[in-house]
Amino acid sequence: EAQVTQNPRYLITVTGKKLTVTCSQNMNHEYMSWYRQDPGLGLRQIYYSMNVEVTDKGDVPEGYKVSRKEKRNFPLILESPSPNQTSLYFCASMISGGDYEQYFGPGTRLTVT
Amino acid sequence: QQPVQSPQAVILREGEDAVINCSSSKALYSVHWYRQKHGEAPVFLMILLKGGEQKGHEKISASFNEKKQQSSLYLTASQLSYSGTYFCGTEIPDTGNQFYFGTGTSLTVIP
């Protein structure tokens, strides 16, 4: 089954404690992306990757890091989380550029206290 | 850079029609439409690539204007299952491969 998986689904943490949200896809897609979703602001892109070892900033990259060492995995790293990073996070993938549909993971609800 | 969607929210009775608009100040490469149910991930509906294109089926369809700056999603004879938040999404020229979503339109269908 074609899918994007994310872990964990829910996470409550404290300010400053490093965390990683994993994302994996089994469709051999080149393009992977992270979004955060906040009420009234829609989905905003954090980082995206066009292929292995190629990553670029999206609209709201501050406070986040990513890496793309393998085609299937695209982890999101928060080195020092802060309360304003409390949000719902989605990983997504698509074949390549914007002419194809994006497949979304189930989401990770992060709370930083 | 974010596309502007209107209306922000709409409430319909079953069987009524709705139109959701997505506008940009710049021409777009393409327009995607997604629907998100509460607490779930967005789900792809359709993509339009060409100016003047219309796509979809009798119940849910979309258009992309000739200048590629506006798209509309048409929901006909709405059903309860249409409830959710609808997002348009796009890549904007000169911003690399960054992807932008609109702020969303909340659609509620009531019996």
Side-chain angles (χ1 to χ4, degrees):
Chain A
E1 180 192 354
Q3 61 181 355
V4 178
T5 56
Q6 287 179 235
N7 282 292
R9 294 289 312 278
Y10 301 90
L11 180 59
I12 300 174
T13 189
V14 295
T15 299
K17 187 176 181 182
K18 181 179 178 180
L19 67 92
T20 299
V21 184
T22 64
C23 172
S24 184
Q25 50 96 2
N26 63 359
M27 296 166 279
N28 202 36
H29 286 170
E30 291 185 351
Y31 189 105
M32 295 188 74
S33 183
W34 276 103
Y35 298 92
R36 61 177 288 172
Q37 185 172 28
D38 303 289
L41 298 176
L43 290 146
R44 293 179 294 165
Q45 194 174 47
I46 303 171
Y47 270 96
Y48 64 97
S49 169
M50 290 295 293
N51 214 325
V52 175
E53 303 292 358
V54 180
T55 62
D56 279 295
K57 295 178 181 179
D59 232 13
V60 286
E62 293 78 21
Y64 305 94
K65 283 176 59 177
V66 293
S67 68
R68 188 94 180 271
K69 294 185 171 60
E70 303 167 286
K71 199 170 187 178
R72 62 183 293 127
N73 296 324
F74 190 44
L76 179 70
I77 303 157
L78 284 72
E79 295 266 359
S80 183
S82 62
N84 64 13
Q85 292 178 298
T86 292
S87 187
L88 178 59
Y89 292 87
F90 288 102
C91 179
S93 74
M94 61 183 169
I95 293 175
S96 60
D99 292 354
Y100 302 93
E101 70 175 278
Q102 290 194 65
Y103 292 80
F104 283 82
T108 296
R109 187 165 291 282
L110 172 66
T111 302
V112 183
T113 60
Chain B
Q1 303 277 33
Q2 191 174 29
V4 176
Q5 279 185 241
S6 63
Q8 286 187 316
V10 58
I11 299 174
L12 301 172
R13 292 200 177 274
E14 270 187 294
E16 291 182 337
D17 302 340
V19 180
I20 299 171
N21 298 305
C22 175
S23 298
S24 170
S25 58
K26 296 185 177 182
L28 309 171
Y29 282 135
S30 61
V31 171
H32 298 215
W33 284 98
Y34 294 81
R35 176 171 61 206
Q36 184 180 29
K37 301 277 188 178
H38 184 69
E40 299 179 7
V43 173
F44 176 79
L45 294 175
M46 66 188 80
I47 182 172
L48 299 102
L49 301 174
K50 301 176 186 175
E53 184 176 6
Q54 296 193 41
K55 206 170 198 179
H57 52 75
E58 185 182 330
K59 296 286 191 180
I60 301 178
S61 62
S63 64
F64 198 12
N65 76 345
E66 288 288 345
K67 290 187 176 180
K68 299 183 77 174
Q69 289 181 266
Q70 180 167 345
S71 177
S72 296
L73 184 71
Y74 306 94
L75 300 144
T76 304
S78 56
Q79 307 166 11
L80 295 175
S81 61
Y82 287 6
S83 292
T85 302
Y86 290 78
F87 293 97
C88 63
T90 187
E91 282 184 288
I92 297 176
D94 302 326
T95 64
N97 294 102
Q98 195 170 330
F99 200 87
Y100 297 89
F101 280 97
T103 50
T105 296
S106 173
L107 185 133
T108 304
V109 181
I110 58 176

